[in-house]
Amino acid sequence: MALPLVFPRSAAMPLTFSGTVGLFTPAAIGADPVDLAVLFASPWGLEEMCTRKFWRLLSEKLSDLGIASLRFDYPDTGDALDGACDLQGLSAWTQNLVQAAAELRRISGCRRIAVISQGLGAVVAAEAAPFLNDAEAMAFLAPVTSGRLYLRELALWSRVVDENLGLDQQQRSSQGVSIASLVLPPAVAEDVRKVDLLGLKGVPARHCLVVERPDRPADAAFAGHLKTCGADVTRHPFQGYDRLVSNPLAARLAPSVVDNILGWITALPAAQNPRSGGLALPASVSPLAGDGFCETPVRFGQYQRLSGVLCEPQGERRGATVVFVSSAYDRHCGWGRSTLLLARDLARSGIASLRFDIANAGDSPPRPGEPEQVLYGPGQNLDLQEAVNFLTSRDDGPVIAAGRCSGAYLAMQCAELDSRITGVVAVNIATFRWKAGLSVEEAVSNAGRSLGEYGARALRLETVKRLLRGDVNVASALSHIGKSLWARIRNRALGAVRFWLPHGRSVQALFRHLHAENTPVALLYSENDYGLEEFDYYFGQGGGRLAGFDNVSVTMIPAADHNLTPPYARETYLSAVRHMALQLGPAQQANERATAVERSDKLGHS
């Protein structure tokens, strides 16, 4: 018997409204559509970055059950335009949710709406409830019930994140409420400080679900308050919450949480009714116009399986087009929206770019047959090549690729395979060739920090204070230092034969190929980044052994972390990308071709 064909799932349909980007997932073909659609109210900050994939997964499972859904970014977050929160505060987010609900009703043809919220999104949903035209139901996952307590916990959480990144006090953000390089708009923060969901006077919806963290009594108290107010309340535990929101790279969701949410939604009365209206999808997506840029959310590739945003200049176009390759499982906006900010700055210089999510990260569904862990796998080359296909089909060449960490690795590997990538900007690349059989989880957990960073940290007064308080895991630090010392001793012993060993031959082949193709490569490293261990092993400190590879440049960024958190570090990255894009633009390439022809003619006559 022949096995059924399994096709990749398409990414959600992009749309724009009210200065933001939405992702609409209709009922799946073959499913019986119902008269209920789901609207997602996202959390904020690191929690939103970690749950991005969870939201996409949940929307796909709803689609298979015949339930359409819409995800979107609040103003001043994600892919949305900035500035709306300055005067409107939190009401800019609540108004956006109301507008999203109207858009979802219009597109899906459904009369009833259920809202799924998490974290700070619970506040947005609760405050928007009176304006949602009688929402059928609301789910509150790990809800923020006290704004004052939330901001206090966020400050502590932010400090832990900064310490794990190795940021000293001078490098940390001083812009009010922030975490993971994301700044909560001051006017929003001021409104959030006044929030107390335990003081709600009425029910936000007839049917409510509260997914409670077991160590947070306030979650249970909120569920009790909703019941007292007259709501039909269902309660479930939020198993694995801490693991879900700690790090996008390690985020995992307990299947029971998804099953409980889906079971609650499908049991709602409105979910039992067939849909009477039809879809009203827009014929095209209208760009969002900002200060010197226009952005259009897109889906592309075979079966339209990849999700991203095309950022173009409003004025004259210059230089090559940049493809930004996501790092790890960060969404395509980048850590702290850094990629989005880079793209918009480039557009103001006349340079277009595409930022997108690789398969099974962010908003791009997985490819059938691929493992759950896709980082450093060969399948990712197909994703980047699909992005290049998309740009060249629009006549947006030439193309350069830029990325950080795993994104830098993918940019270099694909440049070796695809000559249409005419240049690479690689930031803090951890390895030039992935060793077969190496576990990504093991490599990340063992990466630790470089010896240089341990030395720099040891000299800080802050580190001494943490040692005295017992906040430093001394055994773990000593273990990492020992491994780094052994690696350095081993590397020095093998230095003379490094390019005779299998991994070394592979690295040398990569650099020789890019040199033969005359592909410029700009390597940027944060001072003491752990990726320098491999770079120094092959090419010496500062790249002294790069003689013969005149297509490669090396830039060291002082006092910066792996994620390029300080503004000056990101400015260095921006300058490198801008320089290469302008250097490899169509006009420049045409001049080089003309020069090459002229030289050839002269040689022919001599």
Side-chain angles (χ1 to χ4, degrees):
M1 185 177 67
L3 294 175
L5 294 176
V6 179
F7 296 103
R9 186 188 291 269
S10 297
M13 299 178 180
L15 62 145
T16 56
F17 62 93
S18 305
T20 191
V21 171
L23 296 172
F24 175 70
T25 306
I29 297 175
D32 295 327
V34 299
D35 191 23
L36 177 72
V38 169
L39 180 63
F40 288 89
S42 300
W44 177 83
L46 182 61
E47 189 172 7
E48 189 276 335
M49 291 174 64
C50 293
T51 55
R52 189 75 182 184
K53 183 176 176 179
F54 166 35
W55 261 198
R56 191 252 304 156
L57 176 66
L58 196 51
S59 71
E60 292 168 354
K61 290 185 176 294
L62 288 168
S63 173
D64 292 340
L65 295 171
I67 300 174
S69 64
L70 177 65
R71 295 165 279 149
F72 72 100
D73 293 324
Y74 307 124
D76 294 71
T77 74
D79 290 315
L81 297 178
D82 295 337
C85 295
D86 292 343
L87 297 176
Q88 301 177 53
L90 186 61
S91 65
W93 290 8
T94 58
Q95 290 173 22
N96 211 226
L97 183 73
V98 173
Q99 293 159 345
E103 192 73 8
L104 177 56
R105 281 192 172 98
R106 183 186 69 80
I107 295 174
S108 68
C110 295
R111 293 168 296 180
R112 314 300 297 176
I113 294 289
V115 179
I116 298 179
S117 67
Q118 180 167 324
L120 196 53
V123 174
V124 179
E127 299 216 350
F131 311 101
L132 289 179
N133 297 328
D134 193 20
E136 178 75 11
M138 279 196 181
F140 300 94
L141 283 61
V144 170
T145 56
S146 167
R148 189 174 298 276
L149 180 59
Y150 169 73
L151 295 180
R152 193 180 306 142
E153 292 176 340
L154 195 64
L156 294 174
W157 192 7
S158 176
R159 181 178 175 182
V160 171
V161 172
D162 286 347
E163 288 179 350
N164 287 337
L165 290 175
L167 300 177
D168 60 31
Q169 194 61 44
Q170 289 71 33
Q171 295 168 336
R172 295 173 186 174
S173 174
S174 58
Q175 302 181 57
V177 179
S178 65
I179 187 171
S181 301
L182 294 164
V183 179
L184 189 64
V188 174
E190 188 58 34
D191 289 342
V192 168
R193 196 178 304 275
K194 306 169 187 174
V195 166
D196 179 15
L197 291 191
L198 295 180
L200 285 177
K201 301 302 182 184
V203 295
R206 289 185 293 277
H207 306 281
C208 292
L209 168 67
V210 180
V211 184
E212 308 168 13
R213 293 160 290 185
D215 59 342
R216 300 296 180 93
D219 292 3
F222 179 58
H225 179 71
L226 291 174
K227 190 170 185 178
T228 301
C229 290
D232 171 26
V233 180
T234 302
R235 298 168 62 180
H236 287 298
F238 203 141
Q239 296 178 342
Y241 171 79
D242 289 337
R243 184 175 185 183
L244 173 65
V245 301
S246 60
N247 185 337
L249 180 62
R252 297 289 185 275
L253 182 68
S256 61
V257 176
V258 175
D259 293 341
N260 289 336
I261 294 172
L262 294 176
W264 174 75
I265 290 175
T266 54
L268 293 171
Q272 313 302 315
N273 302 323
R275 189 176 67 209
S276 56
L279 296 177
L281 299 174
S284 60
V285 181
S286 300
L288 294 178
D291 176 20
F293 65 87
C294 287
E295 292 192 330
T296 308
V298 294
R299 57 177 183 168
F300 59 90
Q302 190 178 30
Y303 303 104
Q304 296 185 309
R305 62 184 183 83
L306 298 171
S307 179
V309 173
L310 186 66
C311 183
E312 300 175 285
Q314 287 187 344
E316 180 185 0
R317 189 158 177 166
R318 307 164 60 204
T321 300
V322 181
V323 177
F324 284 108
V325 191
S326 298
S327 171
Y329 291 108
D330 296 349
R331 61 177 298 191
H332 55 251
C333 291
W335 180 266
R337 297 180 86 200
S338 57
T339 305
L340 172 142
L341 297 175
L342 286 172
R344 292 178 178 179
D345 277 340
L346 287 173
R348 296 183 186 102
S349 298
I351 300 167
S353 65
L354 172 69
R355 57 184 187 270
F356 75 103
D357 293 327
I358 58 172
N360 207 26
D363 298 316
S364 294
R367 189 185 303 103
E370 287 286 317
E372 177 69 17
Q373 174 59 270
V374 297
L375 298 183
Y376 295 100
Q380 289 194 313
N381 287 320
L382 298 176
D383 298 339
L384 183 48
Q385 287 178 309
E386 293 266 35
V388 177
N389 290 343
F390 170 70
L391 291 174
T392 53
S393 71
R394 291 169 38 91
D395 197 23
D396 281 339
V399 174
I400 67 173
R404 179 181 60 81
C405 194
S406 62
Y409 173 85
L410 178 55
M412 289 197 68
Q413 303 306 305
C414 204
E416 182 184 25
L417 298 172
D418 194 332
S419 61
R420 295 174 300 171
I421 298 178
T422 59
V424 175
V425 180
V427 179
N428 289 333
I429 186 169
T431 182
F432 298 113
R433 289 293 199 194
W434 190 254
K435 295 179 180 178
L438 181 63
S439 162
V440 174
E441 289 82 359
E442 181 182 347
V444 170
S445 63
N446 290 336
R449 299 181 174 90
S450 69
L451 281 175
E453 184 171 349
Y454 276 115
R457 279 173 163 246
L459 298 175
R460 296 176 189 167
L461 178 61
E462 183 180 352
T463 302
V464 176
K465 291 179 178 179
R466 292 184 64 216
L467 278 167
L468 294 175
R469 292 197 306 264
D471 294 340
V472 177
N473 188 333
V474 177
S476 176
L478 289 175
S479 174
H480 281 301
I481 291 172
K483 290 177 181 177
S484 297
L485 281 170
W486 168 245
R488 180 165 294 186
I489 293 170
R490 181 197 60 203
N491 288 347
R492 286 181 177 176
L494 296 175
V497 295
R498 62 194 182 284
F499 286 126
W500 291 90
L501 300 174
H503 189 263
R505 290 200 303 269
S506 181
V507 170
Q508 190 175 54
L510 168 66
F511 276 78
R512 282 180 172 174
H513 177 86
L514 295 176
H515 179 262
E517 292 292 318
N518 197 28
T519 303
V521 177
L523 297 176
L524 280 67
Y525 284 100
S526 298
E527 184 182 34
N528 296 322
D529 189 79
Y530 58 80
L532 283 169
E533 297 288 343
E534 180 165 311
F535 175 80
D536 291 348
Y537 172 57
Y538 285 115
F539 302 112
Q541 289 190 355
R545 300 193 193 112
L546 277 170
F549 296 111
D550 54 3
N551 61 313
V552 180
S553 65
V554 183
T555 301
M556 297 295 171
I557 308 175
D561 63 306
H562 186 68
N563 291 350
L564 299 190
T565 299
Y568 60 82
R570 296 182 180 181
E571 183 63 34
T572 302
Y573 184 17
L574 171 64
S575 297
V577 175
R578 182 192 289 124
H579 174 76
M580 186 175 290
L582 295 177
Q583 183 185 37
L584 298 177
Q588 180 68 21
Q589 288 202 329
N591 290 337
E592 290 179 357
R593 284 194 295 269
T595 302
V597 170
E598 183 178 348
R599 288 175 179 169
S600 177
D601 289 342
K602 288 180 179 179
L603 289 173
H605 290 299
S606 61

